[in-house]
Amino acid sequence: MSKSTVMTEGPIWRKILLLSIPLILGHLFQQLYNTVASIIVGNYIGSEALAAVGSSGSIINLLIGFCIGASAGAGVVISQFFGARDKEGGRKAVHTTIAIAIGAGIILTAAGILLAPVILRAMGTPAEVFGQAVTYLQVYFGGILFSVIYNMSAGILNAVGNSKRSLLYLMIAAHSNIFQIGRASGRDSV
């Protein structure tokens, strides 16, 4: 198990560098999800499907930004308890963060699935790709609970100086996603 990093002891530049490299790689892997989906959809399903995926990109980026921002906010509280060595306060903050993640994930899932057509219409999504864009966005919202929980969990790990563990989980998820998309598109193209 990876140890947490105490940022207040020793040379700070090295600790910041060691903490930030996994964070940067994590953001790259999150972008890899969308890039791989676009490549596979464009090559195996067609240009209209690719346009449908692209029309949902700003909504997805907004959701990812929301998740990262919320996890950073929760991380501030958790890191304060961690730095003060207040285990009980830290435990409560972690449990509250996970409860908020589950609640927000459920609300985002339900609202997103129901409101996907309204959102895409308000964004001016072209009629030619509207149906596929709605389907793609509804499927994305169907799994948003897991994304919210992952991001909040990563925020908790990052708050205690363990950014390597969240990167490892993201790499496993990205690899699994790429494999599943590739497998599904291979079946569709046959």
Side-chain angles (χ1 to χ4, degrees), residues 22-37 60-61 63-69 71 136 140 144 146-152 154-155 158 166-167 169-171 173-175 177-178:
L23 294 175
I24 292 167
L25 291 173
H27 289 292
L28 289 173
F29 271 98
Q30 285 200 330
Q31 290 304 314
L32 183 64
Y33 270 97
N34 297 334
T35 303
V36 169
I60 291 169
N61 288 335
L63 289 169
I64 291 170
F66 169 77
C67 291
I68 291 171
S71 69
Y136 179 76
Y140 190 86
I144 196 72
F146 303 106
S147 182
V148 172
I149 291 172
Y150 163 76
N151 279 291
M152 289 299 233
N158 295 340
S166 57
L167 174 62
Y169 296 149
L170 185 58
M171 289 170 56
H175 183 268
N177 186 48
I178 291 167

Side-chain angles (χ1 to χ4, degrees), residues 100-122:
I100 289 170
I102 291 169
I106 291 169
I107 291 168
L108 283 171
T109 298
I113 289 171
L114 293 172
L115 297 175
V118 175
I119 294 168
L120 290 168
R121 198 169 292 116

Side-chain angles (χ1 to χ4, degrees), residues 39-135:
I39 290 169
I40 291 173
V41 166
N43 285 326
Y44 293 101
I45 300 174
S47 59
E48 282 187 7
L50 180 59
V53 170
S55 67
S56 304
S58 56
I59 298 296
I60 291 169
N61 288 335
L62 177 68
L63 289 169
I64 291 170
F66 169 77
C67 291
I68 291 171
S71 69
V76 169
V77 175
I78 292 165
S79 65
Q80 288 176 340
F81 284 117
F82 181 75
R85 291 178 171 64
D86 180 353
K87 290 185 181 190
E88 181 60 24
R91 186 186 65 75
K92 287 179 182 177
V94 167
H95 288 175
T96 302
T97 298
I98 295 300
I100 289 170
I102 291 169
I106 291 169
I107 291 168
L108 283 171
T109 298
I113 289 171
L114 293 172
L115 297 175
V118 175
I119 294 168
L120 290 168
R121 198 169 292 116
M123 291 176 55
T125 302
E128 305 83 41
V129 298
F130 186 79
Q132 290 178 325
V134 168
T135 301

